[in-house]
Amino acid sequence: MVYSEPRSQRELPKYAEEYQPPIWKSYLYQLQQEAPRPKRIICPREVENRPKYYGREFHGIISREQADELLGGVEGAYILRESQRQPGCYTLALRFGNQTLNYRLFHDGKHFVGEKRFESIHDLVTDGLITLYIETKAAEYISKMTTNPIYEHIGYATLLREKVSRKLSKSKNEPRKTNVTHEEHTAVDKISSLVRRAALTHNDNHFNYEKTHNFKVHTFRGPHWCEYCANFMWGLIAQGVRCSDCGLNVHKQCSKHVPNDCQPDLKRIKKVYCCDLTTLVKAHNTQRPMVVDICIREIEARGLKSEGLYRVSGFTEHIEDVKMAFDRDGEKADISANVYPDINIITGALKLYFRDLPIPVITYDTYSKFIDAAKISNADERLEAVHEVLMLLPPAHYETLRYLMIHLKKVTMNEKDNFMNAENLGIVFGPTLMRPPEDSTLTTLHDMRYQKLIVQILIENEDVLF
């Protein structure tokens, strides 16, 4: 089974002629079609105390032997019963593979026997039969699915995506002479996250920071194929996982083999504040978060001599307005003096951005190492230790910290006007840029002087450390 329609059914535009769709493997899809269908065995009598969320497939308190007899050896037949040994506990008895399988059944608003939760018993049994059939028939095949993935062999898709991107970006800047044809839309829409990743990876302007995929269990409507191994994702619900940042769809077992090469899609990034730093810069294809660049540019243009810069707070409501402007308008947010004449509002918005990061600029992984470095008494050894820990930061975090320290150094060069030296800025930015992994007030209070010292060292030695 192929990803797109046969070429005879639609003509690709000229700039997409190089694109050859990947071949999706149909074996597991065929097995799902062959899987036994559920057959509900109805109880002929009205059962007292039947739970309201079960139907007439519930047969009350009966033994395993009685359940086996009721199923009659019919493949896919099932009943529900209440346990004789444990009243109040319920069991799904299902016929598969010439034997009766018994599963402890639960209900918390949805039905489940394992991780998956279903709206109906029928769906649960259908999904179970598919899974049992495929995992029985294709156990060896499934175990080898990840050994020859298509994921690393998609260079053929690159040229298409680059040409489509150029054509679309050009159309934004130039008047259109003709309407975009249906075929052009089809070609663009057919580009999967797999193809998109290949194009961005080969883009010369792309900042190639490493980023892990943000996989979450997903239910796919209609047939879907894994974009890592090219095999069908079987089952009714929760057939695989999807990266919530770039949209990559893979089997759960395949997700463990996918490289850390997530290329976030701007359509999936709902906001700027509170977004993971690396995710944001990769989505915008920038070296640093655009909030940092835009705010620092505005501060340096009109605020370096402002007394108490970064120490003096702006109005909270106005700072929240700036935050909403970035979340809503992105890089087009207007934070000029015409809109926000008080520079302390802009410094407040920048500090808020750093505080709202789910992973601080100085990451949780490196926090304790920085604190240990700050405790070294010998100045030269301390500086060397700080430099070594800096090298452990993720590239996007390192670049953001470097740029910020260059800016703060400029702030200190105007100390005679703004009264802000490296120590004062360390007090302000210490708890803003670094937080202990455990949410402990006692740890935070104990580490405050070391947090301040780290930022002070970074500012004073930015030309040496970065």
Side-chain angles (χ1 to χ4, degrees):
M1 179 171 292
V2 295
Y3 182 59
S4 60
E5 307 98 289
R7 189 162 179 127
S8 60
Q9 293 182 16
R10 70 173 169 86
E11 286 298 319
L12 287 172
K14 289 182 179 179
Y15 59 82
E17 288 177 356
E18 293 87 349
Y19 175 59
Q20 296 297 321
I23 301 298
W24 303 115
K25 303 167 187 175
S26 61
Y27 175 53
L28 298 180
Y29 176 76
Q30 292 168 356
L31 287 183
Q32 175 160 311
Q33 299 302 103
E34 298 169 5
R37 299 292 185 262
K39 301 173 182 66
R40 184 173 70 145
I41 306 301
I42 294 174
C43 184
R45 57 185 174 81
E46 189 64 36
V47 180
E48 292 185 9
N49 301 321
R50 182 181 70 194
K52 60 182 179 181
Y53 40 81
Y54 294 145
R56 294 188 62 188
E57 69 275 8
F58 182 74
H59 288 249
I61 300 178
I62 59 174
S63 66
R64 288 193 174 205
E65 291 74 22
Q66 289 173 304
D68 193 41
E69 186 177 336
L70 287 168
L71 294 174
V74 178
E75 197 78 347
Y78 71 94
I79 65 167
L80 306 183
R81 63 182 181 86
E82 186 173 358
S83 173
Q84 283 184 321
R85 300 173 184 173
Q86 296 176 289
C89 294
Y90 303 100
T91 299
L92 165 67
L94 173 65
R95 193 72 185 174
F96 176 81
N98 297 319
Q99 59 180 323
T100 299
L101 307 175
N102 291 277
Y103 298 95
R104 178 80 176 273
L105 190 59
F106 301 91
H107 183 268
D108 62 356
K110 292 188 176 181
H111 304 279
F112 62 100
V113 296
E115 292 182 357
K116 294 185 178 183
R117 280 158 166 73
F118 299 84
E119 297 290 344
S120 70
I121 292 293
H122 180 84
D123 286 349
L124 183 153
V125 175
T126 302
D127 186 86
L129 287 169
I130 290 170
T131 301
L132 286 168
Y133 188 78
I134 289 179
E135 291 183 354
T136 299
K137 293 282 187 179
E140 186 176 357
Y141 182 88
I142 292 171
S143 69
K144 296 179 179 178
M145 281 196 312
T146 60
T147 57
N148 188 27
I150 63 165
Y151 193 79
E152 297 302 327
H153 306 286
I154 54 171
Y156 55 78
T158 303
L159 190 56
L160 167 69
R161 182 63 193 186
E162 289 176 344
K163 288 189 176 182
V164 171
S165 298
R166 283 199 296 270
K167 188 174 181 72
L168 292 181
S169 62
K170 184 178 179 182
S171 67
K172 291 179 182 177
N173 301 322
E174 297 179 7
R176 288 186 181 178
K177 297 180 181 178
T178 59
N179 292 328
V180 177
T181 65
H182 173 71
E183 286 81 9
E184 286 172 326
H185 275 307
T186 304
V188 175
D189 292 341
K190 283 292 182 184
I191 296 172
S192 69
S193 59
L194 191 69
V195 176
R196 183 176 167 278
R197 180 189 69 83
L200 289 172
T201 300
H202 289 80
N203 187 342
D204 291 338
N205 297 323
H206 183 71
F207 296 102
N208 195 24
Y209 295 142
E210 184 177 279
K211 180 189 178 309
T212 58
H213 290 270
N214 186 17
F215 286 120
K216 294 180 180 177
V217 175
H218 189 78
T219 294
F220 299 94
R221 304 301 177 191
H224 268 73
W225 274 256
C226 174
E227 293 180 14
Y228 182 79
C229 72
N231 281 288
F232 178 67
M233 294 196 279
W234 63 90
L236 287 190
I237 69 168
Q239 302 97 324
V241 294
R242 168 175 286 174
C243 176
S244 58
D245 293 335
C246 72
L248 184 70
N249 304 317
V250 296
H251 291 111
K252 187 176 180 180
Q253 59 266 47
C254 290
S255 67
K256 301 170 185 175
H257 300 275
V258 176
N260 295 334
D261 61 352
C262 177
Q263 307 289 355
D265 187 346
L266 268 176
K267 293 184 297 182
R268 299 177 180 275
I269 307 300
K270 305 299 182 185
K271 52 190 176 181
V272 172
Y273 279 65
C274 302
C275 177
D276 173 70
L277 192 153
T278 303
T279 299
L280 188 69
V281 298
K282 286 183 76 75
H284 286 270
N285 194 22
T286 56
Q287 282 184 289
R288 299 169 296 275
M290 46 88 172
V291 179
V292 176
D293 280 10
I294 294 172
C295 286
I296 287 180
R297 189 160 57 240
E298 190 68 24
I299 293 163
E300 292 186 353
R302 61 184 172 99
L304 285 178
K305 297 182 184 297
S306 178
E307 184 176 337
L309 188 67
Y310 285 113
R311 179 177 55 79
V312 177
S313 300
F315 285 114
T316 303
E317 290 182 6
H318 294 167
I319 291 171
E320 285 294 327
D321 286 344
V322 174
K323 173 182 176 178
M324 286 190 290
F326 276 116
D327 282 341
R328 182 184 63 247
D329 304 325
E331 60 189 14
K332 295 180 180 178
D334 185 0
I335 62 169
S336 65
N338 294 332
V339 183
Y340 301 104
D342 182 5
I343 197 64
N344 297 310
I345 294 169
I346 309 306
T347 60
L350 180 59
K351 290 187 292 182
L352 179 62
Y353 171 75
F354 289 130
R355 287 198 300 272
D356 278 355
L357 286 172
I359 300 175
V361 176
I362 292 177
T363 61
Y364 293 126
D365 290 343
T366 60
Y367 178 86
S368 61
K369 295 180 177 67
F370 273 109
I371 296 298
D372 290 341
K375 293 177 180 179
I376 298 174
S377 56
N378 182 279
D380 290 338
E381 292 178 7
R382 183 172 58 215
L383 194 63
E384 181 63 30
V386 169
H387 181 262
E388 287 179 5
V389 185
L390 276 174
M391 296 300 102
L392 301 178
L393 288 174
H397 287 246
Y398 176 90
E399 170 57 26
T400 301
L401 188 62
R402 183 193 68 82
Y403 190 73
L404 177 63
M405 292 304 117
I406 292 173
H407 163 66
L408 294 181
K409 187 67 170 284
K410 293 177 184 177
V411 173
T412 64
M413 291 168 67
N414 290 271
E415 182 186 353
K416 66 180 189 333
D417 296 306
N418 60 37
F419 302 105
M420 295 300 289
N421 57 28
E423 184 177 3
N424 294 336
L425 290 169
I427 294 170
V428 173
F429 277 95
T432 301
L433 298 176
M434 55 194 304
R435 303 190 295 272
E438 67 282 355
D439 188 14
S440 168
T441 305
L442 190 62
T443 302
T444 302
L445 290 172
H446 180 267
D447 290 348
M448 280 184 67
R449 58 176 173 157
Y450 301 116
Q451 293 173 349
K452 180 213 68 166
L453 182 57
I454 286 296
V455 175
Q456 182 180 342
I457 290 170
L458 293 175
I459 296 171
E460 292 174 342
N461 301 278
E462 58 83 19
D463 56 334
V464 175
L465 290 171
F466 294 95

